[in-house]
């Protein structure tokens, strides 16, 4: 199975987002810069997930699948760290008080709920990140046991859920 990640289109969108952020920066519109930061990080994570999901689906060996799943856990963990910091109450206050977002306020608030649900899984992602991708364990047997016990299906489903959210944002 081959997933077409629309890499060229997503890269073009990313360039547009960066240009827009730079315009906001030159106009000193900090809250709008922060909005574009959220969009840019979402786009980067979406591209990374395209690559790792494609790699996972095309893996022929269990070790390859676990490598991609471990990479996905790292991507998701780091993304949630960044997005949680960026999507603060200041971010939402700006969205709710700015007329330019009137037509999409409800959608953005629904994303807030979705991100809160994703953040509930953050602790388990951090544990996986630290134990099986960041190689923080000094105990080789514990490391192998953690690799063997990784729940591939749950993490893959989480990647798909996140990718769906990112593609809608």
């Amino acid at each position: 199975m081959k997933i077409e990640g629309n890499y060229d289109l997503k890269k073009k969108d990313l360039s547009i987002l960066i240009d827009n952020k730079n315009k906001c920066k030159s106009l000193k519109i900090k809250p709008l810069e922060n909005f574009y930061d959220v969009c840019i990080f979402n786009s980067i994570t979406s591209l990374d997930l395209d690559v790792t999901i494609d790699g996972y689906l095309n893996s022929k060996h269990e070790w390859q699948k676990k490598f991609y799943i471990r990479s996905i856990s790292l991507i998701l963990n780091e993304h949630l760290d960044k997005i949680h910091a960026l999507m603060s109450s200041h971010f939402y206050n700006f969205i709710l008080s700015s007329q330019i977002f009137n037509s999409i306020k409800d959608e953005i608030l629904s994303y807030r709920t979705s991100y809160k649900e994703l953040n509930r899984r953050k602790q388990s992602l951090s544990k996986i990140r630290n134990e099986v991708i960041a190689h923080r364990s000094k105990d080789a047997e514990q490391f192998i046991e953690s690799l063997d016990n990784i729940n591939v299906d749950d993490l893959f489903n989480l990647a798909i859920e996140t990718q769906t959210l990112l593609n809608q944002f």
Side-chain angles (χ1 to χ4, degrees), residues 46-117:
S46 180
L47 279 163
D48 288 348
L49 286 175
D50 281 344
V51 171
T52 52
I53 289 169
D54 185 52
Y56 174 86
L57 291 173
N58 290 298
S59 294
K60 294 183 180 11
H61 306 283
E62 192 63 27
W63 194 264
Q64 287 175 308
K65 286 186 183 291
K66 287 192 177 187
F67 170 78
Y68 283 110
I69 286 298
R70 294 182 312 157
S71 298
I72 285 169
S73 72
L74 175 65
I75 291 164
L76 293 176
N77 184 71
E78 299 307 312
H79 176 74
L80 289 174
D81 276 349
K82 289 229 184 331
I83 290 301
H84 184 71
L86 289 170
M87 293 175 85
S88 66
S89 59
H90 296 293
F91 173 82
Y92 289 106
N93 288 339
F94 172 70
I95 298 294
L96 294 172
S97 67
S98 180
Q99 290 183 356
I100 62 173
F101 294 105
N102 278 347
S103 63
I104 60 169
K105 280 181 187 175
D106 290 339
E107 284 180 66
I108 291 176
L109 291 175
S110 75
Y111 295 130
R112 180 184 200 177
T113 302
S114 298
Y115 271 113
K116 282 184 178 183
E117 289 171 16

Side-chain angles (χ1 to χ4, degrees), residues 23-36:
K23 288 174 189 169
C24 292
K25 190 182 273 188
S26 69
L27 295 170
K28 300 183 187 325
I29 308 173
K30 184 67 175 161
L32 205 47
E33 272 184 70
N34 292 344
F35 172 78
Y36 281 110

Side-chain angles (χ1 to χ4, degrees), residues 3-13 46-47 50 163 167:
I3 296 278
E4 181 54 49
N6 296 318
Y7 300 116
D8 292 336
L9 179 61
K10 285 185 176 184
K11 283 284 289 168
K12 184 176 180 182
D13 286 347
S46 180
L47 279 163
D50 281 344
Q163 183 66 308
N167 286 332

Side-chain angles (χ1 to χ4, degrees), residues 118-146:
L118 283 175
N119 266 324
R120 289 189 189 111
R121 306 213 31 210
K122 175 84 172 70
Q123 187 174 9
S124 64
L125 283 171
S126 293
K127 183 178 181 203
I128 292 165
R129 176 210 180 274
N130 290 341
E131 288 181 5
V132 296
I133 193 72
H135 302 261
R136 297 237 171 123
S137 175
K138 292 183 171 109
D139 181 338
E141 288 176 27
Q142 179 187 0
F143 179 69
I144 292 294
E145 185 177 315
S146 294

